[in-house]
Amino acid sequence: MSEIPETASGGVVWQSSPPGSIYDYIRVASFSIGPDGLVEQWSRRAVDLFGVTAEEARGKDPVEAFMPADLRERGHRRVKEILDGKEWTGLVPFRMPGEDRPRGIAEMYVMPSETQTGERAALCIVVDVRALRRIETDLAASQAIFGQSPFGFLLFGTDLTVKRANRRFATVFGGEADDHRGRTVHDYLGRAEADRMTTALRRVLETGESVTDFQIVGAAPGARDRRHWSINLYRVHSGSGRPIGVAGLGIDVTRRHNAAREAASARRNLALLNEAGARIGNSLDLEATARELLDVAVPGFCDLASVDLFQGLLTGDEAPPGRWGNSHDVGYGAGSAELRRVAFASAVSDTPLRTDEGHGPDSGCCGPVPIEVGAVHRYPFNSPCAGALRTGRVRTVPGAEGDLVQSTLVVPMVAHDTLVGLVQFSRAKGSEPFGERDRALAVELAARAAVCIDNARLYRREHERALILQRSLLPPGDPEAAGLDIACRYLPGTAATEVGGDWFDVIELPGHRTALVIGDVMGRGLRAAVAMGELRTAVRTLAQLDLEPAEVLSHLDEIARGLGAPIGAQQSRTHKNRGPELSEVYLATCVYAVYDPVTRRCTFANAGHLPPVLVEPGEEALLLDVPPGMPLGVGGEPFEEVEVELPEGALLALYTDGLVESRDHPLDEGLQAFRRALTDPDRPLEDVCDRVLTSLNTGHGEDDIALLMARIQGLPSEAVGDWRLPREPRSVGRARELARAQLAAWDLEALVDTVELLVSELVTNALRYGEGEIRLRLLRDRTLVCEVWDAGLVQPRRRRARDTDEGGRGLQLVGLLSSSWGSRRTPRGKTVWFELDLPDGEGAAEPTVEQLLSMF
């Protein structure tokens, strides 16, 4: 019974214990034994404990009914002693009626009693031992978990006051654990955090929904540093399920919070470095590189930033600006050497950063003066900026009172021990101050930009020399070809690596076909460049003969073998220990490809060069399986050809090893990086070239880099007229009719007379001197090409007809009226062709009367 309240009249009202009291857990049962030793009364708790109803238990001998057979004799003795007036307490195994084996153990308290007639009886109190042991275990576990927990533990009542706190909580917030009873969260936290916590407690108490990782911030009593705690809240219930409060488990996660903040800072810095690698140094322009640095730094790293470069570097002085640590080199005297502000960026204000006045009376500066972009200035000798330039070390400069800036990192820009300028990173007041990790990142950003700027300086110095070589290697003008969009790049090696032997070319062939060539003479220096020039000239000459790619490489191989120069007697004496050496051997690699825009098929032959890369629309870049063959100059090995059909819009890339191989990474990694750089082939071709050069390590300067890229744009079907004619005289007239109709469809009536005349000559020659079926084909692109095919192997030869000859002037007429003409072998015969300029172009002048008469 929990309460015995009194009424207004003074009477007593009995009230049962509330649900969830201790008696619900203990499970106390009772029954009485009469003078005859039989059960007289049987409580409801006994019914629950033994599973026997009162009707079944009354009148039975409890020893016979509930005790095992081997204990009954002792049990009868105990009952007799009890009825004689003795009390007894002990553990008694019991069984259910009808069962032989014990079911449980009861702790029994037997008290003698008397009936109304004075006879001896007994009252028995029974407790299930198993329930007692569970309670003891639960209490011990609860005390161990609550009292010995390394985390702060609180139990809030339904009024949200502390009912119990553990030792760990008291250690943090002071006093003994019992001292915290009756307190609220407002006694521990600031008002805002306490209100949040109270709201969370009330929500858990009302809804029963647990709250995990509830973050609060506060300070322990007597401590200044703010701590971060993670709180887990859950509602606590009695045995009957009635809510009796909220339990809170608090964990100090300050270290975890700081570690997470450090990790976030590290991730941010890593992302900035990755971005810097991608964005800084995309051009060889000094000012552009400085702006790229600030684009990365603001606002991701700082709020304001500026870059100053030495004026001598910007004006193109041959001598480097200086080496850090040498005041003479950098021009110190009254102050720093002249610098120019080349870039400024701000996320908080458009006002330029002020000059560094040195923050002292000896600074020599009357006050802070804003520096505009483009202004030339000097830093005072005693200023932190000048000191950073002298020592090459980072300086941290606090902001002045009333200034927007909280602090500034002054970082010298050093590349290869060469000082090129100064960068200042500033954070405004209210931002997080710079830390050691920020200093390291600032140095790294400045170093990356400095390397790019120094490379740009070196490039500017060597630019004129490189242009001469570049112009000699590039095809004249912008390369153009029928059915191809072409872009190319050439980057010469640095002066330290001398002149290289890389070259590429785009050669127009008859029938609007195009030869794409790229090659690399092994070795360096002037002799390698001369050999490259000879091979390049030979390729153009052989291409005009319209040979198959494998034949071109075979001829080039013979030429390369003849390029070695005999070693003179003086040179032989110098190298006499090396044995007899008759000549230097020049080796070269080369890929020669011929593309036909009508069929969109390309025939490749390779002499020891890196394989071409093909990117089909919607597919990944792949290396074409072209047999590499032996390098030019080795001799003795034939070259193989591979014909590949290229889909419309595909991208073909030819390149030299300088693009994909360097000391920093092996060839396989370079090829993979090259293929990854071609993942977006739909962009303009010039942009694709730039992306390749910026994505790959093209600034190593160890070798020349040549890149030739072509996007496939085959001739549309409406730009091609193709007919087959029987081998009979009337085919000449039929050819004229077909040509006339096709020219009319193309709005080229101005060329009808000339084309009809020349087509008649070529078809007539095919009938007279050729074999097999005749094929007529007209191609319209930037020019008009007419081809006549037959199966004969005899090539036409232009000759001068005698005055008495009735014929023999057909090819003379073709050569006179066309802009160019020729013949080439085919797998099944030959093709004779001529080419005419379109009417809207700069077509060849009409032949004069004297030219026409010269044929007779």
Side-chain angles (χ1 to χ4, degrees):
M1 301 299 177
S2 61
E3 296 178 350
I4 308 178
E6 293 184 359
T7 63
S9 61
V12 177
V13 177
W14 293 92
Q15 181 174 333
S16 63
S17 298
S21 68
I22 190 64
Y23 301 105
D24 291 332
Y25 294 96
I26 297 179
R27 298 181 66 188
V28 179
S30 65
F31 63 91
S32 63
I33 301 175
D36 54 1
L38 303 180
V39 175
E40 286 188 343
Q41 295 180 342
W42 191 258
S43 68
R44 293 182 180 178
R45 294 277 182 144
V47 174
D48 296 336
L49 177 60
F50 295 102
V52 178
T53 63
E55 290 77 6
E56 294 172 338
R58 282 196 295 266
K60 288 187 177 180
D61 185 340
V63 174
E64 295 291 335
F66 302 109
M67 294 186 67
D70 56 341
L71 298 177
R72 289 174 185 172
E73 181 178 354
R74 185 185 306 175
H76 285 299
R77 286 200 306 268
R78 294 297 183 192
V79 172
K80 185 176 180 181
E81 292 174 355
I82 292 169
L83 294 178
D84 288 340
K86 293 183 179 181
E87 291 188 3
W88 180 80
T89 301
L91 299 177
V92 179
F94 68 89
R95 66 180 182 84
M96 305 303 294
E99 297 180 357
D100 295 333
R101 303 180 63 183
R103 184 175 183 180
I105 298 177
E107 188 168 349
M108 187 173 293
Y109 304 88
V110 183
M111 297 168 286
S113 62
E114 291 184 0
T115 63
Q116 292 181 352
T117 61
E119 293 179 296
R120 298 279 179 88
L123 177 63
C124 300
I125 306 298
V126 183
V127 178
D128 189 343
V129 173
R130 292 172 300 176
L132 289 177
R133 298 297 176 264
R134 282 198 300 269
I135 292 173
E136 292 173 355
T137 303
D138 291 346
L139 287 175
S142 175
Q143 181 61 29
I145 294 173
F146 193 86
Q148 301 173 20
S149 172
F151 310 118
F153 212 115
L154 287 176
L155 179 61
F156 295 91
T158 55
D159 57 354
L160 303 186
T161 62
V162 177
K163 299 301 182 184
R164 190 177 179 185
N166 71 343
R167 187 181 308 161
R168 176 59 182 167
F169 183 85
T171 301
V172 176
F173 287 93
E176 298 295 331
D178 292 340
D179 297 338
H180 295 274
R181 295 179 185 270
R183 296 184 182 181
T184 67
V185 292
H186 287 82
D187 295 318
Y188 306 107
L189 302 172
R191 181 174 180 179
E193 292 291 86
D195 289 343
R196 290 179 58 238
M197 183 72 176
T198 301
T199 301
L201 287 169
R202 187 172 290 112
R203 184 170 64 251
V204 172
L205 187 61
E206 292 174 354
T207 65
E209 296 180 359
S210 300
V211 173
T212 58
D213 198 20
F214 182 74
Q215 299 286 329
I216 60 174
V217 181
R224 293 184 178 179
D225 58 323
R226 293 167 63 84
R227 311 296 295 179
H228 294 261
W229 289 287
S230 173
I231 307 298
N232 298 306
L233 303 173
Y234 59 93
R235 192 167 69 182
V236 180
H237 304 84
S238 67
S240 62
R242 177 174 60 89
I244 61 175
V246 177
L249 178 65
I251 305 173
D252 190 336
V253 294
T254 305
R255 290 186 179 180
R256 188 175 72 185
H257 178 81
N258 293 340
R261 186 173 60 182
E262 287 293 320
S265 176
R267 287 194 298 270
R268 181 201 65 184
N269 292 352
L270 182 59
L272 280 173
L273 288 177
N274 290 337
E275 185 180 4
R279 298 179 61 180
I280 298 177
N282 290 326
S283 68
L284 290 173
D285 182 81
L286 301 175
E287 291 85 351
T289 302
R291 288 192 297 269
E292 290 165 356
L293 168 62
L294 300 193
D295 289 341
V296 173
V298 179
F301 176 67
C302 62
D303 301 314
L304 303 94
S306 66
V307 175
D308 299 317
L309 298 180
F310 283 107
Q311 179 69 359
L313 180 147
L314 295 167
T315 55
D317 291 349
E318 282 295 320
R323 298 183 182 277
W324 59 269
N326 191 329
S327 61
H328 176 73
D329 287 343
V330 294
Y332 291 114
S336 70
E338 283 190 339
L339 297 109
R340 185 194 301 176
R341 176 67 50 87
V342 295
F344 169 77
S346 173
V348 294
S349 172
D350 293 333
T351 304
L353 285 177
R354 299 180 297 178
T355 59
D356 178 4
E357 69 275 21
H359 301 282
D362 299 328
S363 62
C365 184
C366 298
V369 179
I371 301 176
E372 300 290 342
V373 174
V376 178
H377 64 96
R378 295 176 183 267
Y379 286 113
F381 182 81
N382 291 331
S383 65
C385 288
L389 289 172
R390 281 195 302 273
T391 63
R393 297 179 180 176
V394 182
R395 297 289 185 93
T396 301
V397 182
E401 179 139 358
D403 197 359
L404 171 68
V405 174
Q406 177 196 80
S407 62
T408 299
L409 289 178
V410 181
V411 187
M413 303 179 71
V414 182
H416 311 117
D417 292 337
T418 299
L419 187 64
V420 299
L422 191 74
V423 58
Q424 299 182 59
F425 303 105
S426 300
R427 286 184 179 174
K429 291 183 177 177
S431 299
E432 184 178 354
F434 288 113
E436 287 301 319
R437 193 187 300 273
D438 295 321
R439 289 170 63 93
L441 177 61
V443 171
E444 180 66 21
L445 289 175
R448 293 195 179 197
V451 169
C452 296
I453 289 174
D454 193 49
N455 289 342
R457 177 182 69 86
L458 295 174
Y459 172 79
R460 178 177 291 183
R461 189 180 65 183
E462 302 298 330
H463 185 60
E464 292 297 328
R465 303 173 192 174
L467 279 179
I468 298 174
L469 179 60
Q470 182 180 7
R471 289 169 181 168
S472 68
L473 295 174
L474 289 176
D478 294 329
E480 294 184 358
L484 292 176
D485 180 15
I486 295 178
C488 52
R489 294 290 187 275
Y490 178 81
L491 296 179
T494 61
T497 58
E498 302 184 273
V499 178
D502 293 12
W503 94 91
F504 64 91
D505 212 342
V506 178
I507 306 171
E508 293 188 58
L509 300 178
H512 286 318
R513 294 171 304 133
T514 303
L516 303 175
V517 191
I518 195 161
D520 183 5
V521 176
M522 300 180 187
R524 303 194 179 283
L526 185 59
R527 295 185 64 82
V530 171
M532 174 270 296
E534 294 187 30
L535 289 177
R536 181 171 179 270
T537 301
V539 168
R540 296 189 70 87
T541 302
L542 293 170
Q544 298 305 320
L545 298 177
D546 215 350
L547 302 177
E548 295 297 323
E551 293 182 79
V552 171
L553 293 186
S554 296
H555 287 291
L556 283 178
D557 181 54
E558 294 293 333
I559 294 173
R561 293 170 63 188
L563 291 179
I567 298 176
Q570 180 67 32
Q571 191 173 0
S572 296
R573 287 193 296 269
T574 303
H575 300 283
K576 56 186 175 182
N577 293 332
R578 294 169 53 184
E581 188 173 359
L582 300 179
S583 64
E584 276 187 85
V585 176
Y586 281 93
L587 301 179
T589 63
C590 180
V591 169
Y592 186 88
V594 175
Y595 171 69
D596 187 342
V598 178
T599 61
R600 292 202 311 275
R601 301 188 71 84
C602 190
T603 304
F604 296 90
N606 188 355
H609 201 80
L610 293 173
V613 174
L614 177 65
V615 188
E616 297 186 7
E619 302 291 338
E620 295 183 354
L622 57 88
L623 300 175
L624 288 179
D625 187 13
V626 180
M630 299 300 292
L632 302 176
V634 174
E637 294 292 333
F639 298 97
E640 298 183 46
E641 293 182 356
V642 172
E643 188 177 55
V644 179
E645 183 173 352
L646 305 179
E648 186 77 16
L651 189 66
L652 180 66
L654 305 178
Y655 53 96
T656 57
D657 56 359
L659 181 68
V660 295
E661 186 176 24
S662 73
R663 297 176 183 174
D664 297 331
H665 59 261
L667 177 61
D668 290 343
E669 291 184 8
L671 288 173
Q672 291 178 2
F674 181 36
R675 293 169 60 189
R676 288 195 300 269
L678 296 173
T679 53
D680 190 10
D682 295 332
R683 300 173 63 184
L685 203 55
E686 295 291 336
D687 293 347
V688 176
C689 282
D690 293 337
R691 175 184 174 87
V692 169
L693 295 182
T694 55
S695 300
L696 276 66
N697 180 24
T698 58
H700 50 74
E702 299 171 10
D703 196 3
D704 297 348
I705 294 173
L707 175 63
L708 177 61
M709 305 187 73
R711 177 170 286 126
I712 306 304
Q713 299 172 348
L715 287 181
S717 57
E718 58 270 15
V720 179
D722 195 350
W723 306 275
R724 298 184 182 274
L725 304 173
R727 192 169 189 78
E728 54 187 31
R730 63 179 181 178
S731 293
V732 178
R734 177 60 177 162
R736 289 196 299 266
E737 293 175 3
L738 293 172
R740 184 188 312 113
Q742 187 64 68
L743 292 176
W746 287 340
D747 295 328
L748 297 178
E749 287 84 355
L751 299 178
V752 168
D753 293 339
T754 302
V755 172
E756 280 190 328
L757 176 60
L758 301 186
V759 165
S760 296
E761 292 294 336
L762 296 188
V763 173
T764 300
N765 285 347
L767 288 173
R768 288 182 178 178
Y769 310 111
E771 299 176 9
E773 187 181 38
I774 300 173
R775 181 181 176 188
L776 172 65
R777 189 168 75 169
L778 294 178
L779 307 176
R780 179 189 178 183
D781 192 65
R782 290 175 292 117
T783 61
L784 177 69
V785 173
C786 176
E787 299 174 329
V788 175
W789 306 42
D790 68 76
L793 298 177
V794 179
Q795 296 291 324
R797 182 173 60 87
R798 181 177 176 179
R799 63 182 179 87
R800 178 174 294 278
R802 290 174 298 191
D803 294 343
T804 57
D805 290 344
E806 296 182 359
R809 299 179 178 84
L811 292 182
Q812 286 185 266
L813 188 62
V814 172
L816 183 65
L817 296 180
S818 65
S819 57
S820 60
W821 77 280
S823 65
R824 67 176 185 273
R825 289 180 299 170
T826 64
R828 297 183 180 179
K830 67 177 182 296
T831 298
V832 184
W833 58 272
F834 67 83
E835 185 175 1
L836 294 174
D837 293 323
L838 299 182
D840 54 353
E842 299 179 0
E846 292 292 332
T848 63
V849 175
E850 289 76 9
Q851 290 174 323
L852 293 175
L853 291 177
S854 66
M855 295 187 298
F856 298 92

